Amino acid sequence: MTQLLDTSAVPDVVLEAGRLFQAAGHDLSLVGGPVRDLFLGRVSTDLDFTTDATPDQTLAVIKGWADAVWEIGREFGTIGLRRGDMQLEITTYRAEAYDPASRKPVVAFGTELADDLVRRDFTVNSMALRLPSLELVDPHGGVRDLHARLLRTPGTPQSSFDDDPLRMMRAARFASQLRMDVAPEVLAAMTDMAARLEIVSAERVRDELVKLINGADPRRGVEIMVDTGLADVVLPEVPALRLETDSAHHHKDVYQHSLTVMEQAVDLERPGGPVIGPDFPLRFAALMHDVGKPDTRRFSDDGAVSFRHHDVVGAKLTRKRMKALRFDNETIKTVTRLVELHMRFYGYGEAGWTDSAVRRYVRDAGDQLDRLHLLTRSDVTTKNKRKAGRLARSYDDLERRILELAEQEELAAVRPELDGQQIMEILGIGPSKTVGEAYNFLLELRLDEGEIGRESAEARLREWWAANRPDDDSAKNAAPNESETGL
């Protein structure tokens, strides 16, 4: 719930800045998210201000007061600075719009606070505190909408989204972060104008998507994106999960299932636990884990439906989408690995796993084992309590076995007992493809039988060599990759 504005929570640096600008003959107001957050009982360390001063005049005012200054946003009227632990951005009053064919805003500076507030995205972000008086300026009913938990635009939604189409993504993001509803007229405009989002850079869209997924209610944000058509532009694999069914073929709603898996993954994040929320890779993998199903769905004559290899297909689709959204390589690798492995556990309860299978599970998960644990548990959405209980007990048993084996050996770094250099010395060969083959043989041996000791590993290697030794010098051909030899 929102509360009355507590001006005692305003950081001292805000009042200091206000007095500086006042002494220089300029207006300065705290604006946007920081004002909104004061009503929500939160204080941000990133503070946004607006002023009638030009960027040059702002630089003159803060000279000697700011600990550090950066001018990367000067073209758009913004001067950034650091004062103590606080980050401040001071922007000249402005109005901005997008050229229909351009990704960059066209900026015009203004002279009045009221003109600046009307160009902001939503009424809850269109409030200001004049400084240093702390007078609240709220011409568009932001306090009212904040109490109603409703997202509206200061002007018409159409003009707001035409100015900056990314605001449509921000609506879905704020719905997730602040658990707010989006006004019907705003939703209608988002639906009509969703295609305009195509002119926005992938990087800006990505950043909004990450904030949405990391919000308090990511399901609400994703549903808004899908219902308005924004997801068709940003994340088309998700609305594609709404598979059609008929009377002869029955399977769970994959779209709703994926949203539930994401919600359950959020619930499993724990402060101080192995995965601390908000954890984007876990949440996004939960949302995307079944995106391979539409392309792999097959029906049999008896009415059964299958999605064979949807995990592999889904990982490829996820990788392609994340690359298009300009995610960094490490995040792409993490999420796609989780999507690829999310089905690995199934069958454990019925067939049982050998110790070597458990070792492979840990090895393949690598440093993502904790996230894989949570994703696998989240993937159980059946309403059949007996089935859900059986799967939970099976995974409990798997985790117990992993811990028991980990006490005996370092599972996370399972390697053969002989490295590539030792293999070459024992077999009397140089760098070659054969070294990689021998290394893989020893790795499989290690996974199947656990630690057998260096002497036994050498004896087994010599047995393998006797059976696989080439007749010519082909073993001395092109050097292998590091991944083949373990060097």
Side-chain angles (χ1 to χ4, degrees):
M1 293 293 294
T2 54
Q3 57 189 36
L4 294 176
L5 178 64
D6 180 9
T7 55
S8 67
V10 176
D12 291 340
V13 69
V14 172
L15 297 174
E16 289 178 21
R19 287 190 287 267
L20 276 177
F21 276 75
Q22 184 182 56
H26 295 294
D27 296 335
L28 185 73
S29 297
L30 185 69
V31 71
V35 178
R36 179 201 67 220
D37 286 348
L38 286 171
F39 281 98
L40 296 174
R42 306 185 310 202
V43 177
S44 174
T45 57
D46 294 324
L47 302 171
D48 294 326
F49 299 81
T50 189
T51 180
D52 62 348
T54 65
D56 285 342
Q57 291 170 330
T58 293
L59 287 170
V61 172
I62 64 175
K63 183 178 181 180
W65 179 75
D67 296 325
V69 176
W70 49 94
E71 302 180 37
I72 192 171
R74 182 172 181 156
E75 178 185 356
F76 305 110
T78 299
I79 300 297
L81 65 99
R82 178 175 55 81
R83 171 77 173 177
D85 295 332
M86 296 293 192
Q87 303 276 358
L88 288 69
E89 286 194 349
I90 302 175
T91 302
T92 305
Y93 296 150
R94 67 189 188 190
E96 70 181 24
Y98 266 74
D99 183 285
S102 173
R103 292 170 182 249
K104 295 183 179 181
V106 178
V107 176
F109 296 144
T111 59
E112 298 293 335
L113 176 61
D115 293 337
D116 185 88
L117 294 181
V118 76
R119 58 155 287 274
R120 294 184 176 269
D121 53 6
F122 302 105
T123 59
V124 296
N125 296 328
S126 298
M127 299 179 286
L129 282 181
R130 290 189 184 275
L131 301 173
S133 67
L134 297 180
E135 173 195 351
L136 177 65
V137 181
D138 180 20
H140 305 289
V143 173
R144 175 199 62 210
D145 290 342
L146 198 55
H147 278 279
R149 317 299 286 184
L150 188 66
L151 281 173
R152 294 188 309 111
T153 54
T156 66
Q158 291 80 6
S159 63
S160 180
F161 299 152
D162 207 42
D163 281 348
D164 185 352
L166 188 68
R167 290 173 175 174
M168 294 183 284
M169 278 287 294
R170 287 169 64 84
R173 187 251 287 189
F174 284 125
S176 169
Q177 284 186 325
L178 304 177
R179 297 184 185 275
M180 299 185 75
D181 294 322
V182 182
E185 69 275 12
V186 177
L187 287 173
M190 291 167 66
T191 303
D192 291 341
M193 302 177 66
R196 280 277 286 153
L197 194 60
E198 293 175 354
I199 74 165
V200 182
S201 70
E203 291 83 358
R204 295 184 73 209
V205 170
R206 174 203 62 209
D207 291 346
E208 289 297 327
L209 178 63
V210 170
K211 292 173 183 177
L212 183 157
I213 296 296
N214 283 345
D217 190 358
R219 180 176 189 140
R220 183 183 305 205
V222 172
E223 287 179 328
I224 289 171
M225 286 182 59
V226 171
D227 292 345
T228 58
L230 292 178
D232 291 325
V233 177
V234 176
L235 209 59
E237 295 81 7
V238 173
L241 292 171
R242 296 176 295 181
L243 301 176
E244 296 180 0
T245 59
D246 56 45
S247 59
H249 304 101
H250 301 284
H251 55 81
K252 62 188 173 187
D253 185 321
V254 182
Y255 170 62
Q256 292 297 327
H257 163 75
S258 298
L259 294 177
T260 300
V261 173
M262 181 174 62
E263 280 186 313
Q264 294 184 165
V266 171
D267 291 341
L268 290 176
E269 297 171 343
R270 291 285 184 274
V275 179
I276 301 172
D279 188 80
F280 176 79
L282 172 63
R283 295 179 178 203
F284 197 57
L287 177 64
M288 301 291 283
H289 76 286
D290 275 348
V291 296
K293 282 190 170 180
D295 288 347
T296 59
R297 183 171 62 161
R298 300 292 183 270
F299 297 115
S300 62
D301 293 338
D302 62 2
V305 63
S306 66
F307 303 96
R308 190 176 182 185
H309 302 312
H310 77 271
D311 44 354
V312 177
V313 173
K316 292 179 179 178
L317 291 172
T318 300
R319 180 178 294 107
K320 181 178 180 181
R321 181 54 49 196
M322 293 184 75
K323 284 184 176 180
L325 289 171
R326 303 293 193 270
F327 277 93
D328 63 277
N329 290 335
E330 189 60 33
T331 303
I332 294 174
K333 178 182 176 182
T334 296
V335 174
T336 55
R337 192 62 170 153
L338 291 170
V339 172
E340 184 179 10
L341 292 176
H342 82 273
M343 290 294 295
R344 186 69 64 88
F345 161 72
Y346 292 95
Y348 174 83
E350 291 79 6
W353 282 4
T354 62
D355 285 349
S356 64
V358 176
R359 292 189 191 98
R360 284 187 173 85
Y361 188 78
V362 174
R363 180 198 64 176
D364 291 347
D367 59 2
Q368 299 308 315
L369 183 62
D370 289 329
R371 285 190 175 109
L372 183 59
H373 285 331
L374 300 192
L375 176 59
T376 302
R377 290 185 180 276
S378 302
D379 197 19
V380 178
T381 61
T382 178
K383 291 181 171 56
N384 185 322
K385 293 183 178 181
R386 184 175 180 180
K387 181 179 180 181
R390 184 177 72 252
L391 289 170
R393 288 190 297 274
S394 293
Y395 207 83
D396 288 342
D397 184 65
L398 174 58
E399 288 199 79
R400 176 188 59 77
R401 290 184 62 192
I402 289 172
L403 291 174
E404 288 178 351
L405 284 171
E407 291 176 358
Q408 302 169 21
E409 52 190 293
E410 187 58 44
L411 282 184
V414 172
R415 291 184 175 87
E417 283 146 310
L418 301 172
D419 62 24
Q421 188 63 42
Q422 292 167 324
I423 290 171
M424 289 189 289
E425 291 174 358
I426 292 169
L427 301 184
I429 62 175
S432 65
K433 180 179 179 181
T434 301
V435 180
E437 293 172 349
Y439 184 89
N440 289 332
F441 163 75
L442 291 173
L443 178 58
E444 292 300 313
L445 183 66
R446 174 74 172 77
L447 291 169
D448 286 337
E449 301 183 19
E451 296 179 358
I452 62 174
R454 190 183 186 286
E455 291 185 2
S456 294
E458 182 175 338
R460 299 287 285 276
L461 174 63
R462 293 186 184 280
E463 292 175 6
W464 175 88
W465 181 238
N468 294 277
R469 183 171 184 169
D471 295 331
D472 52 30
D473 291 335
S474 59
K476 298 180 181 180
N477 291 337
N481 296 325
E482 289 183 6
S483 60
E484 293 177 318
T485 65
L487 293 174

